[in-house]
Amino acid sequence: MTTARAVMVTPAPPRTVTYAYGTAPRQRLDAYWRPSAAQGSTAQGARQTGKRPGVLLLHGGYWLGGDKSSWKYFARRLTNEGFAVFAANYRLAGTAAWPAQRDDAEAALDYVKRNAARWNVDPDRIAVIGSSAGGLLATQLGAYGQGAQRVRGVVALSPVNTPYLAYQTGAETTATPGQRKLRRAVVTLLGCRPVTGNSTCWTKVDDATAATHASSGDAPMLIMHGTTEFVPRTQSTGLAGALNRAGVPATVVAVPGSMHGPALMQDPSVYPRILSFLKARTR
């Protein structure tokens, strides 16, 4: 009698190397890539050009903590789809006030583009994904200046796109512990308290608000929030509306539940939607 046994083949981990994109200790990024661009269900563009698309990942943590290593398993998953993936740390608000975090996100992206040949990446086909505090940095990369010249698309999971709204919400009697912490984090991020008469701080508030920079030259965006999470979708509706009025595709998706940031991918519809967006934007 002959029997058959199913064998599960687990892909070998991608190559992973940490690089310094600046001189500060936090200015580091992890690169994940596979030796061949023709790996898994590689994006169409990689088959045509021999170069693969890239994705830059920016972690959350109230701008006060967090680490690039939190993206490790997600990064590996994307390499199976033919992407090279880069997860970056950035200077935290406790040691460097805004716009240091946006500056670091730009510097990390520039480093990847300058060294794209090292990972066989097409520097003109890079998207960015950010979560929570890192979601603001991702949308800023897509909207600050001519964002579409910088990245092909933006995915933001529970982004804090309107810091002043977070500051206000954290003062309400119904605020959750997370919302109160986020209010304090906004003050640390800005290095000031946005109160009447503090014009310098209000300038920072405007600059840190993603919608302030919305224009026709921005990158398309896919933004997701949990329906009952502590960073509500109202954080992103102003940005999406401004982008749409400028002719830039931007969608805010409400995911049922209180899941926040990468936890949104526990909903089975979220990862396929992210992957579809990334492939469409980087083909």
Side-chain angles (χ1 to χ4, degrees):
M1 181 175 66
T2 303
T3 61
R5 182 175 61 183
V7 177
M8 180 178 293
V9 179
T10 302
R15 292 190 62 186
T16 307
V17 178
T18 300
Y19 301 91
Y21 66 86
T23 58
R26 288 281 303 183
Q27 292 172 325
R28 301 291 185 272
L29 63 81
D30 295 334
Y32 302 80
W33 78 102
R34 296 186 181 277
S36 171
Q39 174 72 33
S41 53
T42 305
Q44 179 182 1
R47 292 196 300 268
Q48 294 174 341
T49 68
K51 296 182 180 180
R52 73 192 85 203
V55 178
L56 174 66
L57 305 175
L58 299 167
H59 67 80
Y62 296 88
W63 309 288
L64 301 173
D67 188 80
K68 52 187 169 52
S69 62
S70 63
W71 287 111
K72 177 172 65 175
Y73 297 108
F74 180 67
R76 290 179 176 179
R77 193 175 184 183
L78 286 181
T79 64
N80 290 335
E81 298 292 342
F83 295 93
V85 184
F86 308 90
N89 277 349
Y90 47 87
R91 285 172 290 169
L92 300 176
T95 57
W98 183 266
Q101 295 70 32
R102 182 179 64 204
D103 292 344
D104 284 1
E106 289 184 300
L109 179 61
D110 289 344
Y111 179 88
V112 170
K113 291 190 173 189
R114 287 197 309 272
N115 295 279
R118 179 179 295 169
W119 311 288
N120 197 30
V121 166
D122 184 342
D124 295 323
R125 292 192 295 127
I126 298 176
V128 59
I129 300 177
S131 167
S132 194
L136 170 65
L137 305 184
T139 58
Q140 288 263 345
L141 282 183
Y144 187 67
Q146 296 294 306
Q149 295 180 10
R150 187 179 294 115
V151 293
R152 282 288 191 91
V154 174
V155 176
L157 306 175
S158 309
V160 188
N161 281 323
T162 315
Y164 183 64
L165 177 59
Y167 177 80
Q168 289 178 304
T169 301
E172 296 175 359
T173 57
T174 57
T176 66
Q179 289 170 332
R180 290 194 291 270
K181 180 177 179 179
L182 188 54
R183 173 184 168 89
R184 296 191 296 270
V186 168
V187 174
T188 305
L189 174 71
L190 299 175
C192 60
R193 192 174 294 275
V195 295
T196 302
N198 191 344
S199 59
T200 300
C201 195
W202 284 107
T203 298
K204 279 196 167 187
V205 168
D206 288 342
D207 186 42
T209 301
T212 300
H213 306 291
S215 72
S216 60
D218 294 344
M221 300 192 189
L222 172 63
I223 304 171
M224 298 183 170
H225 290 267
T227 53
T228 58
E229 67 156 299
F230 76 99
V231 180
R233 66 190 301 271
T234 50
Q235 277 284 337
S236 298
T237 51
L239 171 61
L243 290 171
N244 289 162
R245 288 190 294 273
V248 177
T251 302
V252 180
V253 177
V255 180
S258 60
M259 296 174 292
H260 172 77
L264 291 170
M265 282 185 275
Q266 294 174 23
D267 184 296
S269 69
V270 170
Y271 178 75
R273 187 159 189 169
I274 291 172
L275 186 60
S276 177
F277 177 88
L278 292 175
K279 288 188 174 183
R281 295 310 312 166
T282 60
R283 64 165 57 112

